[in-house]
Amino acid sequence: MEREIKFRGKSNVDGEWYFGSYVKTNDDTNNPFKTTAPKEYHNIVYYAAPDFLLGGWNKEPVIPETVCQFTGLLDNNGKEIYEGDIVRVGILSPNYTGSYPEPYYVDTVCIYKEGAFLYKRISPFDKKKLSRNWTYKPMHRYEIYSTEVISNIHDTPELLKGE
């Protein structure tokens, strides 16, 4: 299965999120080879079909620290998961026995580390719920029961307080 390569970034003009390709240039055009301007620009380039004057493509300057890559995964509600998203993950305990397993829920932040997208735990550890606690978990694990994007680290940094 192929993963769609796309990014999002928060506009430094209107504060909205833009989704598309990430282009880093040395001027305010989409020409990555022009190096006359000393300032570096970070842009999200996206397709806007009705805009015929620009050939259908628009670009939006974004705050570099907010640029996040799409993981290729969707949460249980069909929402795309990006780096920097705060995700509530339901984990099935391998110690559970019975017909209807009851997951426990952990708040995590999606990160990219050493060539993989990972969930990094931000909820405090709870020895009563699972004998082995974890800090990092690959996003494609068999015991992950459910996922739900809650927010992201740029819009609600206060959710990282559990870290």
Side-chain angles (χ1 to χ4, degrees), residues 84-115:
D85 277 346
I86 297 172
V87 180
R88 182 158 291 145
V89 178
I91 304 291
L92 291 177
S93 169
N95 302 337
Y96 179 82
T97 57
S99 302
Y100 300 101
E102 188 65 35
Y104 72 97
Y105 292 91
V106 176
D107 289 344
T108 65
V109 63
C110 176
I111 64 167
Y112 184 79
K113 183 175 183 175
E114 297 178 8

Side-chain angles (χ1 to χ4, degrees), residues 81 84-91 103-111 118-126 129 133-137 139 144 146-153 156-163:
I81 302 175
D85 277 346
I86 297 172
V87 180
R88 182 158 291 145
V89 178
I91 304 291
Y104 72 97
Y105 292 91
V106 176
D107 289 344
T108 65
V109 63
C110 176
I111 64 167
L118 304 171
Y119 292 121
K120 181 181 180 204
R121 182 188 191 115
I122 55 177
S123 292
F125 291 114
D126 188 345
K129 292 190 177 173
N133 284 296
W134 51 272
T135 301
Y136 297 99
K137 188 170 282 297
M139 292 183 77
I144 293 176
S146 67
T147 58
E148 181 183 4
V149 174
I150 300 170
S151 186
N152 64 70
I153 60 173
T156 52
E158 64 273 7
L159 291 178
L160 296 176
K161 297 274 192 253
E163 198 168 358

Side-chain angles (χ1 to χ4, degrees), residues 37-99:
K39 186 168 182 185
E40 186 174 82
Y41 291 86
H42 300 260
N43 299 292
I44 296 293
V45 178
Y46 60 96
Y47 186 68
D51 196 346
F52 296 110
L53 295 176
L54 295 175
W57 292 96
N58 286 342
K59 69 178 165 95
E60 186 68 28
V62 294
I63 304 164
E65 295 78 28
T66 67
V67 174
C68 306
Q69 188 173 3
F70 177 47
T71 64
L73 300 174
L74 306 176
D75 74 358
N76 284 19
N77 300 316
K79 187 173 182 179
E80 295 176 339
I81 302 175
Y82 284 81
E83 288 177 90
D85 277 346
I86 297 172
V87 180
R88 182 158 291 145
V89 178
I91 304 291
L92 291 177
S93 169
N95 302 337
Y96 179 82
T97 57
S99 302

